[in-house]
Amino acid sequence: MSELELTTIARRVRVEYDEMPGLVLTIPQAARLWRLEKSVVEHVMASLVDAEYLRQSPRGFVRRSFSH
């Protein structure tokens, strides 16, 4: 997958979390919701966690980070 495609998907994920700030998903749930391969979702979510936009709980739930 190209860097442009990953950037587009990351933008889409940000929009979803902005529109629904209480959204909490696991990686498999997100993959089903957005009809993407699990590996793509893992990559995008990890990059958004690294950017501190999202946070992932020890149990694997990903939610919006409001630390900024």
Side-chain angles (χ1 to χ4, degrees):
M1 184 161 285
S2 75
E3 201 58 39
L4 178 59
E5 289 170 310
L6 291 171
T7 300
T8 300
I9 293 167
R11 240 183 271 134
R12 177 179 168 195
V13 169
R14 281 179 173 262
V15 166
E16 294 283 346
Y17 277 97
D18 284 343
E19 289 179 356
M20 296 179 282
L23 183 63
V24 179
L25 297 169
T26 62
I27 299 296
Q29 289 171 332
R32 284 191 303 274
L33 175 66
W34 296 314
R35 295 184 174 106
L36 296 166
E37 291 182 29
K38 184 180 170 195
S39 61
V40 171
V41 174
E42 288 172 331
H43 178 80
V44 168
M45 295 289 220
S47 70
L48 292 172
V49 168
D50 288 345
E52 298 182 354
Y53 179 79
L54 297 177
R55 61 187 166 110
Q56 189 168 14
S57 75
R59 294 185 59 201
F61 295 99
V62 181
R63 67 185 71 226
R64 177 82 192 273
S65 174
F66 293 100
S67 62
H68 288 80

